[in-house]
């Protein structure tokens, strides 16, 4: 492919050598994955790899009233949680276009994941849209409900279908009970 760098070639058994730099990468095992290629429908704008080109709201370039989200669009990371976030941005844009009073919010990628470890799960979160490069890793869920795929509408819908999974992640007790009379008039000071 014109303009692309040559593929790495095999080096010693536990390394590969990148071309043209000659940089050597050591590893216990090397796994080579195929290059992803998209297959945009005929007449739909696509990048050089065949993925549909969209704006931050999911609008397909050069096509009126057409939106796209997920693995078929030209975004470098293919991940279910990001696809749900892309769909949320597209849905808000579609609703606003149809006259609903909603805020059009562009896709802002936030990676979320649960890493299973020997000492229990770790919840990971990283704002890929431009933070300072730092993310979070905790032993408690960083989003709610703590579903596999986090989207504004998809996660709550999935939670209603799997109440036991959500119940396993409820916050632990140990806080202070708070009680107030909600029918009492509050006087501003």
């Amino acid at each position: 492919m014109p303009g692309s760098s040559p593929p790495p070639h095999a080096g010693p058994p536990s390394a590969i050598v990148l071309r043209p730099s000659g940089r050597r990468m050591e590893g216990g095992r090397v796994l080579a994955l195929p290059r992803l290629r998209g297959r945009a429908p005929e007449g739909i704008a696509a990048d050089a790899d065949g993925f549909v080109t969209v704006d931050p709201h999911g609008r397909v370039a050069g096509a009126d009233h057409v939106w796209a989200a997920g693995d078929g669009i030209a975004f470098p990371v293919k991940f279910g949680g990001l696809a749900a976030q892309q769909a949320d941005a597209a849905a808000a844009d579609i609703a606003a276009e149809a006259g609903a009073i909603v805020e059009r919010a562009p896709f802002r990628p936030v990676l979320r994941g649960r890493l299973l470890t020997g000492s229990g799960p770790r919840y990971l979160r990283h704002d890929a849209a431009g933070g300072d490069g730092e993310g979070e890793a905790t032993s408690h869920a960083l989003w709610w409900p703590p579903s596999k795929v986090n989207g504004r509408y998809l996660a709550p819908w999935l939670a209603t279908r799997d109440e036991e999974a959500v119940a396993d992640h409820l916050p632990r007790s140990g806080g202070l009970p708070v009680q107030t009379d909600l029918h009492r008039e509050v006087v501003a000071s």
Side-chain angles (χ1 to χ4, degrees):
M1 186 171 197
S4 64
S5 59
H9 67 276
S14 64
I16 60 171
V17 179
L18 302 178
R19 291 188 296 192
S21 70
R23 183 173 154 218
R24 179 182 158 132
M25 293 181 67
E26 297 288 334
R29 294 206 177 16
V30 176
L31 171 67
L33 299 175
R35 182 175 180 164
L36 292 177
R37 301 241 185 231
R39 291 178 31 185
E42 190 173 325
I44 298 295
D47 68 4
D49 291 322
F51 293 101
V52 176
T53 52
V54 298
D55 73 6
H57 297 278
R59 290 175 180 248
V60 174
D64 291 335
H65 307 294
V66 178
W67 289 260
D71 291 353
I73 70 167
F75 188 74
V77 181
K78 309 299 182 193
F79 185 69
L82 294 179
Q85 293 168 43
Q86 293 161 358
D88 287 344
D93 199 67
I94 292 166
E97 190 76 15
I101 301 172
V102 297
E103 181 182 344
R104 295 180 199 237
F107 167 58
R108 183 178 168 91
V110 177
L111 292 166
R112 295 175 180 95
R114 185 175 70 169
L115 178 65
L116 302 177
T117 72
S119 59
R122 301 287 291 172
Y123 294 87
L124 313 170
R125 182 186 184 284
H126 176 71
D127 184 349
D132 55 6
E134 296 295 318
E136 295 177 76
T138 67
S139 58
H140 63 275
L142 294 167
W143 58 91
W144 193 260
S147 60
K148 180 179 183 219
V149 178
N150 186 289
R152 182 175 181 184
Y153 303 103
L154 181 60
W157 181 79
L158 290 173
T160 63
R161 301 184 59 83
D162 191 6
E163 291 178 15
E164 284 183 29
V166 172
D168 288 343
H169 293 87
L170 291 173
R172 304 281 185 251
S173 63
L176 298 174
V178 176
Q179 182 175 341
T180 187
D181 182 0
L182 296 177
H183 299 288
R184 187 183 73 185
E185 190 173 311
V186 178
V187 179
S189 54

